[in-house]
Amino acid sequence: MGGACSLKRDPHDDDNIIRRGFSSRHFKFGSSCCLESFLLGRVVDCPPGRNNCPSLMELCIHRIRKDIDKYHSFSMLPRDISQLIFNNLVYSNRLSDECVEAFRDCALHDMWTGEYKGVKNNWMDVFSSQGLSLLSVYIFGSEVTDFGFSLLHYCPNLQALSFDCCDCISEQGIKQVSGFSNLTYLSFRKCVSVTAEAMQALSSLDKLVKLDFERCPQIHGGFVHLQGLSKLESLSIRCCQCITDSDMKPLAGIASLKELQIVCVYITDYGVSHLRGLNKLVVLNMEGSHVTTSCLNTTSVLPSLQSLNLNRCCLRDEGCEKFSGLTKLESLNLDSCRITDDGLAHLSGLAKLKDLNLKFTLVTDDGLKEFSGLTCLRSLNLDVRQITDSGLAVLTGLTGLTHLDLFGAHITDSGTKYLAYFRNLQSLDLCGGALTDAGVENIKDLSSLMFLNLSQNRNLTDKTLELLSGTFVSLELLSGLKLLVYLNISNSCTTNNGLQYLKPLKNLHTLDLEYCNVTASEIKKLQDNVLLNLVRYRPN
């Protein structure tokens, strides 16, 4: 599966759609993306005649954004309105050194700038002027120094603080975090100044619930300072390659932990053994760690475990019988593990399993026969070359599936008839290259589909677009995939002539027609005149 079109869709292509239950390969929404949806809400940039009519408030904020240079202070406005204006300026990349001053003394709750690059110390002075009202600050990759960070001491009610990739803050600056006694969320992702010594400042933050140290390279030995944080529920040390088995031992004393993101290559089965006493642990992510099937000796006795990620770990069939003890498991990721049908047999008793990822494993059609009892499954990733039409046939009892990934499976037109059993499908990847327009006949009636990936099926033509939209020559919508938001038919034989059939798909947000006989100008016409919700498209 070579070439650009073989890539799966970008998880951030669907900005404002939060889809729980999808495999992590599809959607990797981090806390920042969810926060963006929460804080920014709807951003208005609506020319006349496009989409729904915006509210009066939205129109006013849009106008203020256009004339931002005329405003010197928003402190006389109600806080909620000032907050909306600030969020809008950040989202539209219009916040500058000049206009940020207009937000001084506005008593805002949230100063979220995301990946905005212009944040400097003078901005922190404005942020700190919010005083007792300020509850959260989120900054990424800024030029803020220790001095700018120290200005936040005027905001003692801060509950959430994120300074990701901020290399201008030193180890001494990090230690100032000890003064924020009301913090419940703290993130210093990819910060070289977070050291074991600096982490001592966290020992007094007894209200801390969530802590994120992803990609921090110098935190080895620092977890001893977290042992007294009795309310800590979530800890991420993803991709911290300085972490070793010895760092796991102090975590055993944090009995409140419910979520642990490890993802560290030097963690072995021995390190995982220290987690045996974490009775409240619900989510455990060990992706890419050097653990084997022996780690199941520990995970199988964690009484609350519901989500286990073993993606790219060294698991094989031997020892897989321990999976049968994970009776509360709802999500299991075995992506790229060397597990065959023999190992898969031990999953048959996991009756509560909702999300299962078997991408790049060694399972075959025969192994899928063990799935008959997994009636709670909602998301299934079978991006496996050995899976064929026969394998799809034995899955027809899983009528509750909403997300099915057969990206690399060898499914032919004949096999698509089994898709009729999955009437609840919202997401489908079918990219093995064996489909023709005849196979799409069996997809066009899956009326709940929102995300459809048919890339790499070179024999698909304009007829496919006609079938998916339910249109004929009259362009009357007879059936079709009315809810479709994402459509990928890249590397097919579709042409500009076929674009007319997309007109009824009013909800279409993203369209990928790369390596097709389609031009950007023709898609732009469709976007301007008919598909008003289309935001992203990729022509040839």
Side-chain angles (χ1 to χ4, degrees), residues 128-184:
S128 68
S129 73
Q130 315 308 315
L132 299 177
S133 297
L134 192 60
L135 301 179
S136 65
V137 174
Y138 294 82
I139 293 173
F140 180 96
S142 74
E143 299 175 16
V144 175
T145 67
D146 292 353
F147 172 73
F149 189 75
S150 70
L151 294 175
L152 291 177
H153 78 271
Y154 293 110
C155 309
N157 292 329
L158 272 176
Q159 297 174 15
L161 187 60
S162 177
F163 273 75
D164 298 337
C165 301
C166 295
D167 295 334
C168 295
I169 298 178
S170 71
E171 183 182 49
Q172 289 302 117
I174 298 291
K175 292 180 179 180
Q176 297 179 80
V177 76
S178 62
F180 303 115
S181 59
N182 288 308
L183 282 183
T184 59

Side-chain angles (χ1 to χ4, degrees), residues 206-225:
D206 56 3
K207 295 182 181 179
L208 210 56
V209 175
K210 185 170 184 177
L211 185 57
D212 193 341
F213 286 136
E214 180 178 333
R215 297 181 186 274
C216 288
Q218 301 192 68
I219 60 174
H220 170 62
F223 293 159
V224 293
H225 304 303

Side-chain angles (χ1 to χ4, degrees), residues 195-304:
T195 63
E197 182 181 348
M199 287 174 66
Q200 186 172 359
L202 276 61
S203 60
S204 62
L205 303 182
D206 56 3
K207 295 182 181 179
L208 210 56
V209 175
K210 185 170 184 177
L211 185 57
D212 193 341
F213 286 136
E214 180 178 333
R215 297 181 186 274
C216 288
Q218 301 192 68
I219 60 174
H220 170 62
F223 293 159
V224 293
H225 304 303
L226 307 182
Q227 292 177 300
L229 303 182
S230 59
K231 295 183 179 180
L232 190 64
E233 296 181 0
S234 176
L235 174 63
S236 175
I237 50 174
R238 292 173 57 93
C239 304
C240 297
Q241 303 309 345
C242 61
I243 298 300
T244 65
D245 286 342
S246 63
D247 290 297
M248 295 293 101
K249 189 172 183 179
L251 299 183
I254 311 178
S256 55
L257 271 182
K258 295 181 180 179
E259 177 181 5
L260 180 57
Q261 305 279 344
I262 300 177
V263 194
C264 300
V265 69
Y266 296 115
I267 297 299
T268 70
D269 299 329
Y270 174 70
V272 175
S273 68
H274 293 302
L275 308 179
R276 183 177 291 266
L278 298 182
N279 293 332
K280 294 183 179 181
L281 200 64
V282 175
V283 177
L284 178 58
N285 182 359
M286 296 188 287
E287 178 179 347
S289 300
H290 198 68
V291 298
T292 71
T293 318
S294 296
C295 76
L296 298 177
N297 292 328
T298 298
T299 59
S300 62
V301 298
L302 296 175
S304 302

Side-chain angles (χ1 to χ4, degrees), residues 15-248:
D15 292 334
N16 298 313
I17 301 168
I18 298 176
R19 305 168 61 202
R20 297 198 178 275
F22 284 72
S23 66
S24 61
R25 177 190 55 73
H26 278 305
F27 297 92
K28 301 174 184 172
F29 288 109
S31 59
S32 61
C33 191
C34 295
L35 183 66
E36 177 177 346
S37 297
F38 171 72
L39 290 179
L40 299 183
R42 183 177 175 186
V43 177
V44 176
D45 196 357
C46 302
R50 286 187 64 117
N51 301 327
N52 296 326
C53 182
S55 68
L56 180 60
M57 177 64 72
E58 290 170 331
L59 287 173
C60 289
I61 292 175
H62 180 62
R63 183 67 184 184
I64 289 172
R65 192 185 82 188
K66 292 183 68 174
D67 298 332
I68 189 63
D69 294 339
K70 298 179 180 179
Y71 300 94
H72 303 291
S73 177
F74 296 116
S75 61
M76 75 294 294
L77 294 177
R79 173 169 53 209
D80 291 348
I81 296 177
S82 298
Q83 184 75 67
L84 287 173
I85 297 171
F86 179 84
N87 295 343
N88 192 290
L89 289 172
V90 171
Y91 188 83
S92 60
N93 205 35
R94 293 291 299 275
L95 199 61
S96 64
D97 280 345
E98 293 74 24
C99 64
V100 74
E101 279 292 333
F103 294 96
R104 186 177 293 277
D105 301 320
C106 285
L108 300 184
H109 285 325
D110 307 296
M111 307 301 287
W112 187 86
T113 60
E115 298 187 12
Y116 210 90
K117 300 296 185 182
V119 184
K120 298 184 280 290
N121 285 343
N122 62 307
W123 289 40
M124 297 303 298
D125 188 39
V126 175
F127 290 7
S128 68
S129 73
Q130 315 308 315
L132 299 177
S133 297
L134 192 60
L135 301 179
S136 65
V137 174
Y138 294 82
I139 293 173
F140 180 96
S142 74
E143 299 175 16
V144 175
T145 67
D146 292 353
F147 172 73
F149 189 75
S150 70
L151 294 175
L152 291 177
H153 78 271
Y154 293 110
C155 309
N157 292 329
L158 272 176
Q159 297 174 15
L161 187 60
S162 177
F163 273 75
D164 298 337
C165 301
C166 295
D167 295 334
C168 295
I169 298 178
S170 71
E171 183 182 49
Q172 289 302 117
I174 298 291
K175 292 180 179 180
Q176 297 179 80
V177 76
S178 62
F180 303 115
S181 59
N182 288 308
L183 282 183
T184 59
Y185 173 82
L186 179 61
S187 176
F188 280 114
R189 289 187 296 171
K190 207 174 180 181
C191 287
V192 296
S193 297
V194 179
T195 63
E197 182 181 348
M199 287 174 66
Q200 186 172 359
L202 276 61
S203 60
S204 62
L205 303 182
D206 56 3
K207 295 182 181 179
L208 210 56
V209 175
K210 185 170 184 177
L211 185 57
D212 193 341
F213 286 136
E214 180 178 333
R215 297 181 186 274
C216 288
Q218 301 192 68
I219 60 174
H220 170 62
F223 293 159
V224 293
H225 304 303
L226 307 182
Q227 292 177 300
L229 303 182
S230 59
K231 295 183 179 180
L232 190 64
E233 296 181 0
S234 176
L235 174 63
S236 175
I237 50 174
R238 292 173 57 93
C239 304
C240 297
Q241 303 309 345
C242 61
I243 298 300
T244 65
D245 286 342
S246 63
D247 290 297
M248 295 293 101

